[in-house]
Amino acid sequence: MRTITVIGSGTMGKGIGLTAAISGFNVRIQDISEESLNKARAYFDEQIEKSHARSTVNENDVRNAKQNISFTTELQEATKDTDLVIEAIPEVMELKTILFQELDQITPNHTILATNTSTMSPTEIAAQTNRPDRCIAMHFFNPVPKMKLIEVICGLETSEQTINRIFEVGKMMNKECVKINEFPGFAVSRMNCLIGNEAMTMLMEGVSSVEGIDKAMKLGLNHPMGPLELADLVGLDTRLHNMEYLHQTLGEKYRPCPLLVKYVKAGRLGRKSGKGFYTYST
């Protein structure tokens, strides 16, 4: 497996693409937005130079990574002769199923189709294709270059061969893979969404400030980031989509906090918009 196509050049897509390129894969990043692709190019150049300055990658790795990655708005061009497609578009099931229907038609028969969803059913997504045995979920974590875990979630008909090949890809990316049998929310998101939602409820109830709640979790439970800071990093709109899906599939305890709904309606989406629970310089 040498060529990876990443669909979507947002936070997760560009992180996955960078990681794959540095790991030696030939990477194509596709997005319908030229503006988003330009931002991904700038991110890629910046991160490569930072890695080189920190001596985490050598000159040869820098040169190869730059040669290994390309950007395009054309889906068919991006997926031609590719071995693995990793979808990293917004967490909306309808968008994902439409994309997988198209990918099934235009990619080679051997191509594995993976979704980077953090909560949604790879079985339902795979059912839109004629290759459910070659469909899987690869849940990366933000920031992708630094986070070591990939949750590998198997759909109902995902083959052992597909699972093994994805574990090989993860190893080549210097990641640790954990096999998860599909259930809404998988393992990490199911727990993390509850923690974040409770933190938002505590803030709404006046238990403590944003900084106080985050500091308590970091110092009391040794979390590297507080739950509100993490929600800002993920994107409050993405978190709301996840909570709505988990509420629908797992029940009342996952009902989104009203404060989260209010922030999203106000356009306070976290780091991506410059303001969420914290305010960020743009």
Side-chain angles (χ1 to χ4, degrees), residues 51-211:
S51 296
H52 188 213
R54 292 193 299 264
S55 300
T56 55
V57 295
N58 59 40
E59 188 68 41
N60 189 54
D61 290 336
V62 169
R63 184 169 56 253
N64 288 339
K66 288 182 177 179
Q67 292 174 347
N68 285 345
I69 196 161
S70 61
F71 302 84
T72 181
T73 57
E74 299 298 324
L75 185 61
Q76 193 147 3
E77 176 186 337
T79 56
K80 180 179 63 176
D81 300 327
T82 194
D83 299 308
L84 170 64
V85 176
I86 303 175
E87 165 269 308
I89 66 173
E91 290 283 77
V92 179
M93 179 60 80
E94 183 180 6
L95 295 179
K96 294 180 186 292
T97 54
I98 291 172
L99 175 61
F100 269 67
Q101 288 170 357
E102 186 170 3
L103 290 172
D104 188 45
Q105 296 298 314
I106 65 176
T107 56
N109 288 333
H110 76 276
T111 304
I112 294 174
L113 305 180
T115 172
N116 180 55
T117 182
S118 56
T119 56
M120 294 181 177
S121 167
T123 297
E124 183 176 350
I125 295 169
Q128 314 306 312
T129 76
N130 293 308
R131 62 180 90 184
D133 58 314
R134 280 159 284 153
C135 293
I136 200 163
M138 296 177 71
H139 181 204
F140 292 81
F141 293 81
N142 189 27
V144 177
K146 294 181 180 180
M147 300 296 283
K148 297 292 291 183
L149 177 65
I150 303 175
E151 281 186 306
V152 178
I153 302 96
C154 313
L156 180 64
E157 298 185 50
T158 305
S159 70
E160 284 298 320
Q161 181 182 17
T162 296
I163 296 167
N164 292 337
R165 293 188 71 193
I166 293 304
F167 266 70
E168 291 170 5
V169 170
K171 185 176 181 180
M172 291 179 68
M173 291 185 180
N174 198 30
K175 304 296 185 186
E176 294 286 341
C177 292
V178 175
K179 180 182 175 182
I180 304 292
N181 293 317
E182 182 185 335
F183 205 82
F186 315 143
V188 176
S189 292
R190 185 172 174 178
M191 292 184 285
N192 188 45
C193 282
L194 274 182
I195 293 171
N197 209 51
E198 186 63 21
M200 295 171 200
T201 301
M202 291 166 60
L203 177 65
M204 186 176 66
E205 293 172 342
V207 173
S208 187
S209 65
V210 171
E211 295 81 3

